[in-house]
Amino acid sequence: MPYEPYDAFLLVSFGGPEANEDVIPFLENVTRGRNIPRERLAEVGQHYYLYDGVSPINQQCRDLISAVRADFGGAGLDLPVYWGNRFWPPMLADAVAQMARDGVRRAVAMATSAYSNYSSHRAYLDDIAAAREAAGPDAPEIELIRPFFDHPGFIEPLVEHTRDALDQLPEDQRAGAHLLFSAHSIPTPMADASGAADHDHGPGGAYVTQLSEVARLVGERLGEDHPYDLVYQSRSGPPSQPWLEPDVNDRLAELAEAGATAVVVVPYGFVSDHMEVKYDLDNEARETARKLGLHFVRALSPGTHPRFVAMVRELVAERASGAEPFGLTSLPACHVCPEGCCRQR
C-alpha cells in the first residue's frame, strides 16, 4: 500500500479569529516577541471588524478537511484527519497532544502554503517540532509534505479560476486584460535566503523563483497571450525595511497610466480566500482599480477544487513512497524539501 508508513494525516494552518473579541488576542499571538505597538494591532484589527471579527480561514480549513476525508474514503485510504493551527484554536500543540493520546505513531502533515520560505514552510516545521516536544515522549513522528507550488493539483485550479475570472470581464475587455499574480510580500533578506543552501537562486531566492514559475505555468496553460506581472500584497514591516515589490496597488496605478483598461488579479500565493485575499484584494486593490477606472476581477484561489483536494492524497502517497516529486517543472531540488529547504532562521 502506498500510504503504509502513516497512521494519521495532520492539516496545519495559520488560524484566525472567529469573533470580534478574538481579534486582538489573535494578533497578539501572531506578533508575540516582535514589540509591535498596540495601536498597530488595533489598526490591523479593523480589517477583521469589517467581517464581524471572523476570518474565513478556519471555515475554509473545515471545508478542506471535509473534502479530504471524502477523497481519502473514496480512494480506500483509512487515515484519521487532525487539524492544528499555529496562532488560534484549534492549536497545533493540542492537536499533536490528542494524536499522542489516540496512539498515533507516525503522521504526515500538510501546511496550507505552497511555497518555500521561512514563514510558509520552515516555520511550520519549527512549530511542529515544538508541539511534539510539548506532547512528550509519546508524541508521534510527523513528516511535512513538500512545498507543492508546481503540482498539477495546484496549477490546474488556478488556470480554471483565472479563465473564469476573465470571462467575468466585459467581452470587449477580455482579450487585452492584464493578469496580476499576487503573493504575500516578505522581507527581501528572507526571500533571498529561501531555498536549498547549496543552490543559488539569485535575487528573491527560491520563493520568487517558484512564484515566477507558477505564473509562467498558469499563463502557458491559459493558451491566451495575456500580459502578466508578479505583484505583492500584505506588507507589514516598517518602511525602512525592504520587502518584495511591486505592491499590487502601485502596479495598478502604473498599468492605468500606461493605458490598460482591465485587470484580473490571481491570488496565487494563497490556497484559500482568507482575510488577506478578502481585505487586501477584494477591498483595497478593488477600490484602487475603481478610482483608476480599471475593470477589475479577482480570481478564486484553489480552495476545495476537486483537483486540489485530490492533490493532498497524491502528495501523501508521494511522501510515503519516497518517490521523486511529480510536478510540472524541473526547478532545482530545493522544492523536494523534507527538512532542508527554507534555511533562514
Side-chain angles (χ1 to χ4, degrees):
M1 289 289 294
Y3 312 103
E4 270 183 8
Y6 305 118
D7 51 5
F9 173 81
L10 172 65
L11 182 71
V12 188
S13 195
F14 196 83
E18 297 192 271
N20 280 327
E21 59 267 27
D22 296 343
V23 172
I24 296 300
F26 163 73
L27 294 173
E28 288 173 338
N29 286 348
V30 174
T31 60
R32 184 164 287 118
R34 300 185 195 174
N35 298 315
I36 304 297
R38 180 81 177 190
E39 55 269 25
R40 175 57 181 157
L41 297 186
E43 180 184 339
V44 175
Q46 295 303 317
H47 302 178
Y48 293 91
Y49 297 139
L50 288 174
Y51 299 90
D52 296 323
V54 180
S55 167
I57 194 169
N58 274 2
Q59 186 57 50
Q60 289 163 359
C61 284
R62 295 183 187 104
D63 294 342
L64 180 59
I65 287 168
S66 294
V68 165
R69 282 182 172 138
D71 180 79
F72 281 5
L77 175 55
D78 185 19
L79 277 186
V81 177
Y82 295 83
W83 169 31
N85 290 326
R86 296 177 60 206
F87 297 113
W88 200 250
M91 298 299 290
L92 176 59
D94 295 335
V96 174
Q98 185 62 54
M99 293 165 73
R101 290 192 292 271
D102 292 345
V104 175
R105 305 314 314 147
R106 190 178 180 195
V108 59
M110 172 183 165
T112 53
S113 179
Y115 298 95
S116 299
N117 67 64
Y118 178 78
S119 295
S120 63
H121 191 75
R122 183 76 233 179
Y124 284 84
L125 288 169
D126 290 347
D127 286 354
I128 287 170
R132 293 187 66 247
E133 183 175 0
D138 292 330
E141 295 180 30
I142 300 175
E143 298 180 7
L144 187 64
I145 60 177
R146 67 173 175 90
F148 48 82
F149 68 96
D150 64 340
H151 194 286
F154 185 65
I155 300 296
E156 291 168 14
L158 289 174
V159 173
E160 181 178 321
H161 291 161
T162 301
R163 187 173 287 119
D164 290 344
L166 285 165
D167 288 344
Q168 294 174 46
L169 289 169
E171 189 172 356
D172 63 346
Q173 298 291 323
R174 294 172 194 168
H178 203 103
L179 306 181
L180 293 181
F181 290 93
S182 189
H184 204 302
S185 186
I186 61 175
T188 53
M190 179 187 290
D192 291 342
S194 60
D198 60 355
H199 185 84
D200 181 12
H201 291 274
Y207 184 53
V208 172
T209 298
Q210 293 169 0
L211 288 169
S212 299
E213 182 66 1
V214 173
R216 184 191 70 80
L217 289 168
V218 173
E220 180 181 87
R221 280 154 182 75
L222 279 174
E224 302 171 19
D225 191 21
H226 290 282
Y228 69 84
D229 290 304
L230 277 62
V231 296
Y232 299 93
Q233 62 175 89
S234 312
R235 177 195 167 110
S236 59
S240 59
Q241 184 180 42
W243 281 52
L244 292 175
E245 296 178 337
D247 179 81
V248 58
N249 296 282
D250 294 339
R251 186 61 182 136
L252 286 168
E254 293 169 353
L255 288 172
E257 186 175 355
T261 58
V263 295
V264 167
V265 177
V266 185
Y268 77 143
F270 308 91
V271 302
S272 68
D273 293 348
H274 56 66
M275 185 58 73
E276 286 165 317
V277 175
K278 300 291 286 184
Y279 184 83
D280 296 347
L281 297 182
D282 291 355
N283 281 308
E284 285 192 337
R286 186 182 299 277
E287 178 62 12
T288 297
R290 186 192 67 78
K291 290 178 179 178
L292 293 167
L294 290 169
H295 295 280
F296 177 101
V297 178
R298 195 265 297 169
L300 298 175
S301 57
T304 54
H305 189 286
R307 189 66 191 89
F308 184 72
V309 173
M311 179 200 74
V312 177
R313 172 172 40 82
E314 292 166 9
L315 286 168
V316 170
E318 175 189 286
R319 179 77 191 199
S321 69
E324 285 295 311
F326 173 65
L328 295 169
T329 181
S330 57
L331 292 178
C334 68
H335 74 296
V336 179
C337 192
E339 280 79 28
C341 181
C342 306
R343 64 188 185 277
Q344 65 272 24
R345 290 283 184 171

